């Protein structure tokens, strides 16, 4: 009995051992087959997605559209012509703080990863999964270069896979510094500025190589959302983003705590962007633009970064424009006065003047600038009309409105002169005026009647 039981136990143990050996054998085979199938599927997916990807060697001949500049006879800039305001500069002309700030803010592991940062992608995947939509991309700087040059901004997983493949290829073909050169000259930084040099001129009125740490960190905060962090339109949000960049620089060991604090407390001089075309000699510059476009073509004019030197003298041109404007005004006045813009009842005058005051703001009235005013009364004895412009009060004297006869082309202006202000105005008339002199009189500011 004992011998029989012992034999039975041995047989059971052998069967059990044979079962597990067989199980592990077939499991290993299934695993290998699964891995091969998965590899085949990934290979097929890679081939399917990458078969129509562009060649990255085109980046070797990087020649983006750049700004065409127009200059006066003494070398002063009078105009910029472009479709993308970009000024390409070498990496050597960019401050170290500027480069470090962009890397810290956009891709702190840039020097380490091969174009794709798996950790960042996994983190973005978890956030997207929780949100139920694509809210974060996890892109590296190299991926941003790939997207900017070769892909659309569509937020899809297919595009992200293409982006990753291209980024890996770019890393294999170019050095890290070459990739930064492409990125920092190509990236859009708001208000029409492409690249760090154009952005430095836009926001600070200086070259990129002249930027300090505070300015560098401000620019580095823009790529994520240039309109949302605009130093012009949203200075508080821009400041918050700048502080984030400075903290990232400190955490990555690029700057000390003292340097970060000093940069955070430094007041930035954000310059209003110059419109060279309008500010200097617009009519002359427009003639040059048309001439070059007709002779050399639109592509060369707007994309090739030409330097166009002209014979115009800015001061003489301004004098000429001033005289032409004066002549046109005198000609217009000889035709007569076309009447007030509108007429207000007495109860509406205060409300209208408050709106004008808001438009003027805290500044005082300036000579040679036209404002809307309201006639508040007529003094026949003094031959003056009381006028209110916002919160400012003054008068128009009768001798300055002798030209303001009703329009009548059949009668010469010399034959029909106005002698009294009550022939021109009624209380409540909304008119256009300019300041005759900044000196105050007993009646307040002395105004001159204007019209379009």
């Amino acid at each position: 009995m004992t011998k029989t039981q012992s034999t039975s136990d041995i047989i059971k143990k052998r069967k059990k051992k044979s079962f597990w050996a067989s199980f592990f054998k077939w499991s290993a085979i299934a695993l290998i087959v699964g891995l091969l199938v998965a590899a085949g599927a990934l290979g097929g997916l890679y081939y399917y997605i990458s078969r129509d990807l562009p060649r990255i060697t085109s980046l070797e001949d990087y020649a983006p559209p750049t700004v065409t500049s127009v200059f006066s006879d003494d070398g002063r800039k009078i105009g910029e012509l472009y479709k993308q305001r970009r000024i390409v500069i070498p990496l050597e002309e960019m401050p170290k703080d500027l480069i470090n700030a962009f890397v810290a803010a956009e891709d702190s592991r840039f020097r380490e990863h091969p174009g794709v940062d798996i950790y960042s992608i996994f983190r973005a995947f978890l956030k997207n999964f929780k949100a139920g939509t694509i809210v974060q991309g996890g892109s590296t700087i190299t991926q941003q270069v790939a997207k900017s040059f070769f892909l659309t901004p569509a937020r899809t997983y297919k595009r992200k896979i293409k982006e990753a493949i291209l980024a890996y290829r770019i890393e294999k073909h170019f050095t890290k510094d070459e990739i930064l050169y492409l990125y920092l000259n190509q990236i859009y930084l708001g208000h029409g500025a492409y690249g760090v040099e154009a952005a430095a001129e836009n926001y600070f009125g200086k070259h990129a190589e002249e930027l300090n740490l505070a300015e560098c960190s401000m620019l580095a905060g823009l790529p994520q959302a240039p309109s949302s962090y605009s130093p012009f339109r949203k200075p508080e949000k821009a400041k918050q983003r700048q502080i984030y960049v400075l903290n990232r620089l400190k955490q990555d060991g690029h700057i000390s705590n003292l340097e970060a604090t000093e940069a955070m407390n430094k007041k930035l001089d954000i310059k209003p962007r110059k419109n060279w075309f309008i500010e200097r000699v617009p009519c002359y510059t427009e003639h040059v633009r048309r001439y070059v476009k007709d002779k050399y073509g639109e592509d060369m004019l707007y994309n090739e970064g030409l330097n166009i030197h002209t014979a115009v003298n800015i001061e003489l041109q301004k004098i000429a424009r001033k005289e032409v404007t004066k002549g046109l005004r005198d000609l217009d006045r000889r035709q007569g006065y076309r009447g007030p813009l509108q007429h207000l009842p007495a109860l509406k005058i205060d409300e209208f003047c408050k709106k004008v005051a808001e438009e003027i703001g805290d500044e005082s009235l300036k000579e040679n600038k036209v404002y809307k005013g309201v006639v508040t009364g007529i003094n026949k004895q003094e031959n003056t009309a009381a006028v209110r412009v916002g919160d400012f009060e003054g008068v128009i004297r009768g001798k300055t409105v002798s030209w303001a006869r009703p329009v009548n082309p059949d009668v010469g202006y010399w034959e029909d002169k106005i002698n009294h202000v009550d022939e021109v105005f009624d209380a409540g008339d909304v008119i256009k005026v300019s300041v005759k002199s900044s000196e105050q009189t007993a009646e307040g500011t002395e105004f001159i009647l204007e019209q379009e």
Side-chain angles (χ1 to χ4, degrees):
M1 189 70 176
T2 304
K3 185 176 181 181
T4 304
Q5 287 177 342
S6 177
T7 303
S8 177
D9 289 341
I10 292 171
I11 293 171
K12 286 180 180 179
K13 287 180 181 179
R14 285 178 178 176
K15 285 182 177 181
K16 190 174 182 180
K17 185 177 180 181
S18 176
F19 168 77
W20 284 111
S22 179
F23 173 79
F24 284 120
K25 175 184 175 182
W26 288 108
S27 295
I29 292 172
L31 179 61
I32 292 170
V33 170
L35 290 173
L36 290 173
V37 170
L42 288 174
L45 179 63
Y46 175 83
Y47 173 78
Y48 171 74
I49 291 179
S50 64
R51 71 187 193 283
D52 60 347
L53 289 178
R55 295 182 179 275
I56 61 165
T57 50
S58 62
L59 294 177
E60 294 175 356
D61 303 318
Y62 178 58
T66 51
V67 175
T68 286
S69 298
V70 187
F71 300 93
S72 66
D73 61 344
D74 58 358
R76 283 180 286 174
K77 186 178 288 188
I78 60 173
E80 290 183 338
L81 306 169
Y82 53 85
K83 290 185 177 177
Q84 291 185 359
R85 190 174 190 278
R86 178 186 287 105
I87 304 167
V88 176
I89 60 172
L91 205 64
E92 294 75 26
E93 292 183 16
M94 302 179 195
K96 188 177 179 181
D97 283 338
L98 182 68
I99 297 171
N100 289 339
F102 273 90
V103 171
E106 293 295 308
D107 183 6
S108 60
R109 288 163 39 82
F110 172 71
R111 297 285 181 185
E112 303 164 20
H113 62 66
V116 179
D117 191 346
I118 301 299
Y119 170 76
S120 295
I121 292 176
F122 182 70
R123 181 185 59 198
F125 173 78
L126 291 178
K127 289 192 175 183
N128 294 339
F129 181 77
K130 290 179 180 178
T133 184
I134 298 177
V135 295
Q136 187 175 12
S139 294
T140 64
I141 283 177
T142 315
Q143 286 176 272
Q144 291 182 53
V145 169
K147 181 177 72 172
S148 176
F149 282 94
F150 301 119
L151 301 172
T152 68
R155 298 170 73 88
T156 64
Y157 284 110
K158 183 178 180 181
R159 198 267 294 162
K160 290 298 293 182
I161 295 172
K162 286 184 175 183
E163 184 184 285
I165 295 170
L166 286 170
Y168 182 76
R169 292 177 179 179
I170 290 171
E171 288 273 351
K172 287 292 185 182
H173 195 82
F174 297 93
T175 66
K176 292 287 186 180
D177 282 350
E178 288 171 337
I179 294 168
L180 281 174
Y181 162 76
L182 293 170
Y183 173 73
L184 292 171
N185 279 302
Q186 184 72 10
I187 191 167
Y188 180 64
L189 295 170
H191 297 282
Y194 290 80
V196 294
E197 177 70 4
E201 289 188 2
N202 261 22
Y203 297 114
F204 307 113
K206 58 174 72 172
H207 296 296
E209 62 184 352
E210 300 170 329
L211 297 177
N212 56 46
L213 176 59
E215 293 163 341
C216 290
S217 55
M218 181 67 79
L219 288 190
L222 294 174
Q224 189 180 85
S227 59
S228 297
Y229 299 116
S230 165
F232 289 140
R233 296 176 183 168
K234 299 181 180 178
E236 292 181 1
K237 284 192 172 183
K239 185 66 180 179
Q240 292 172 5
R241 185 67 180 164
Q242 179 207 34
I243 292 172
Y244 165 79
V245 175
L246 288 168
N247 283 328
R248 293 290 306 137
L249 280 166
K250 182 176 64 174
Q251 290 169 13
D252 290 347
H254 295 300
I255 59 175
S256 66
N257 187 56
L258 178 61
E259 289 173 316
T261 303
E262 288 177 348
M264 289 177 191
N265 294 331
K266 190 175 185 65
K267 185 177 180 180
L268 297 181
D269 183 16
I270 306 296
K271 303 284 187 183
R273 181 181 165 191
K274 284 183 175 292
N275 188 332
W276 299 102
F277 203 99
I278 297 299
E279 289 180 14
R280 292 283 168 86
V281 283
C283 298
Y284 188 97
T285 309
E286 171 60 11
H287 174 72
V288 171
R289 185 195 70 80
R290 293 180 185 181
Y291 174 83
V292 175
K293 180 183 175 184
D294 292 342
K295 188 172 180 65
Y296 300 103
E298 188 171 312
D299 182 66
M300 179 171 284
L301 175 65
Y302 290 114
N303 297 330
E304 295 299 322
L306 306 176
N307 287 328
I308 303 172
H309 296 271
T310 73
V312 68
N313 181 290
I314 294 175
E315 281 68 35
L316 292 180
Q317 189 73 199
K318 286 184 175 180
I319 292 171
R321 288 185 65 216
K322 182 179 179 181
E323 290 304 312
V324 168
T325 302
K326 180 179 180 298
L328 288 171
R329 177 191 286 176
D330 291 344
L331 173 62
D332 183 61
R333 289 184 173 188
R334 289 198 291 270
Q335 313 308 308
Y337 179 53
R338 292 184 288 277
L341 301 176
Q342 64 184 106
H343 184 83
L344 297 175
L347 294 176
K348 293 285 186 180
I349 291 177
D350 280 343
E351 181 184 347
F352 179 84
C353 289
K354 284 181 180 178
K355 289 181 180 179
V356 174
E358 289 175 2
E359 293 174 2
I360 295 173
D362 297 330
E363 64 180 24
S364 59
L365 299 181
K366 298 177 180 178
E367 293 184 43
N368 301 318
K369 187 172 181 180
V370 177
Y371 301 92
K372 285 183 181 179
V374 182
V375 177
T376 57
I378 304 293
N379 187 329
K380 291 184 179 182
Q381 186 176 356
E382 297 292 334
N383 196 18
T384 59
V387 178
R388 182 177 169 188
V389 178
D391 294 329
F392 298 91
E393 294 185 348
V395 296
I396 292 178
R397 301 191 185 281
K399 62 183 179 182
T400 66
V401 295
S402 60
W403 62 271
R405 64 188 180 92
V407 175
N408 185 352
D410 296 327
V411 179
Y413 69 92
W414 62 89
E415 298 177 13
D416 190 8
K417 296 283 187 178
I418 296 297
N419 297 312
H420 302 95
V421 292
D422 61 345
E423 298 178 64
V424 183
F425 306 120
D426 289 314
D429 283 350
V430 176
I431 60 176
K432 289 199 169 187
V433 298
S434 62
V435 177
K436 183 178 181 182
S437 172
S438 57
E439 294 181 6
Q440 295 293 301
T441 65
E443 298 97 334
T445 303
E446 187 171 351
F447 294 111
I448 298 175
L449 177 65
E450 301 285 355
Q451 68 178 353
E452 289 291 345

